[in-house]
Amino acid sequence: MSGNKNKVSNITKTQRAEMKIYEFLGVTLFRRVILVFERIKHHCDNKKNINYHLKDHSLVSMQSFSGYLLYNSFWHIVSLLLAVVFWVEASFAGFRFLLSDLAMIVVTIINIYCIMLQRYIYLRLRVLTAKHIEKRKI
């Protein structure tokens, strides 16, 4: 039975372990914090960011949501690279201030967690997609 479950889930044992590592590192808590900020941001208009939530549980919605994950990951990687480049350039130029170093550390950590969260959600989405396809076969 468990072999069949892995087949339906559409992710490897390594990817399952990767998800467990993300959970251990607090990605699910980070997600809840992000969603709290989203609720605060949209308190008055009662809207949701379309790149944070599936529109519905259709296969098309899941596939398009994967596009949002890739798009957002790209920008977080760019931001991460810019932060690293700034920090390296500032170090070589002798521009070392505690406040700017702390800002770069915070930006780097946030971007890393955003990238990990998007990867985690992508893997969960693969499981949902596989289950959806399996249901359609029955």
Side-chain angles (χ1 to χ4, degrees), residues 105-118:
I105 290 169
V106 169
V107 167
T108 299
I109 291 170
I110 289 172
N111 278 302
I112 289 170
Y113 266 86
C114 287
I115 293 165
M116 287 191 310
L117 176 60
Q118 287 158 353

